[in-house]
């Protein structure tokens, strides 16, 4: 296994552990089933529909991964374009492997063709962020009549 694959797998493990910590969310690793999506994340304790979102994880082991309150990661144009094609809540999570920290951003809020960094504003270790993510995804599935209208607060 290449070093890049080992870094990626470790980041995915960190993500799954952190996102599932408060029992609000359950992360199912998709492996090679989807080229651009790493996890299907289901909401626990939802009445009615089984609400979920899709998450892609990018991990860095850079010596100095932070700049201007952003975590440096690399997401190529083709992968970002593929992520944006989903008309359901879809997110990108950057993982700092050394600190075991992760930061989430909605793919709908990315207005560039490639991603070189993600904001550190929404840490996946912050219970308020996880509750807000839970509400956002739940609201989408309980009120969506026009699936093209999803907007995110991340």
């Amino acid at each position: 296994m290449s070093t890049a694959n080992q870094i990626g797998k470790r980041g995915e493990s960190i993500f799954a552990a952190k996102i599932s910590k408060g029992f609000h969310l359950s992360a199912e690793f998709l492996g090679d089933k989807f080229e651009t999506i790493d996890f299907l994340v289901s909401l626990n304790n939802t009445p009615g529909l089984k609400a979920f979102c899709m998450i892609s994880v990018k991990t860095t082991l850079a010596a100095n991964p932070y700049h201007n309150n952003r975590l440096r990661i690399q997401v190529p144009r083709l992968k970002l374009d593929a992520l944006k094609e989903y008309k359901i809540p879809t997110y990108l999570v950057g993982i700092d492997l050394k600190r075991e920290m992760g930061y989430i951003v909605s793919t709908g809020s990315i207005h560039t063709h490639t991603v070189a960094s993600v904001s550190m504003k929404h840490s996946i270790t912050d219970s308020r962020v996880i509750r807000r993510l839970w509400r956002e995804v739940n609201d989408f599935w309980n009120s969506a009549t026009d699936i093209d209208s999803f907007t995110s607060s991340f």
Side-chain angles (χ1 to χ4, degrees):
M1 180 182 302
S2 74
T3 302
N5 284 345
Q6 290 173 328
I7 291 168
K9 286 192 177 299
R10 180 71 181 125
E12 291 161 353
S13 295
I14 291 167
F15 167 78
K18 301 277 186 194
I19 203 76
S20 303
K21 187 175 181 181
F23 304 106
H24 296 290
L25 304 168
S26 298
E28 181 179 339
F29 182 63
L30 298 176
D32 295 328
K33 296 174 192 149
F34 285 85
E35 198 169 313
T36 56
I37 300 294
D38 297 311
F39 289 90
L40 182 137
V41 176
S42 299
L43 278 58
N44 298 331
N45 305 316
T46 56
L49 289 174
K50 184 68 173 171
F52 66 94
C53 63
M54 304 287 220
I55 295 184
S56 180
V57 176
K58 293 300 284 182
T59 306
T60 184
L61 188 58
N64 185 16
Y66 298 98
H67 180 69
N68 292 338
N69 289 325
R70 299 183 69 81
L71 175 68
R72 292 181 182 144
I73 59 168
Q74 293 295 318
V75 181
R77 180 182 186 152
L78 290 176
K79 184 167 186 170
L80 184 59
D81 288 348
L83 289 169
K84 288 182 172 187
E85 287 181 13
Y86 289 94
K87 302 299 181 189
I88 62 171
T90 308
Y91 303 90
L92 176 64
V93 172
I95 298 287
D96 174 355
L97 193 59
K98 287 182 181 177
R99 294 185 183 174
E100 296 192 357
M101 294 293 293
Y103 308 96
I104 189 167
V105 63
S106 169
T107 57
S109 69
I110 300 169
H111 301 293
T112 59
H113 294 292
T114 60
V115 173
S117 65
V118 292
S119 169
M120 295 168 53
K121 185 176 181 181
H122 307 292
S123 171
I124 62 170
T125 61
D126 183 338
S127 62
R128 294 169 297 182
V129 169
I130 298 303
R131 283 193 301 273
R132 207 164 98 219
L133 175 64
W134 190 98
R135 279 193 306 274
E136 180 172 286
V137 174
N138 188 59
D139 289 350
F140 170 81
W141 287 107
N142 283 316
S143 64
T145 54
D146 179 8
I147 209 157
D148 287 331
S149 65
F150 175 69
T151 54
S152 174
S153 64
F154 292 96

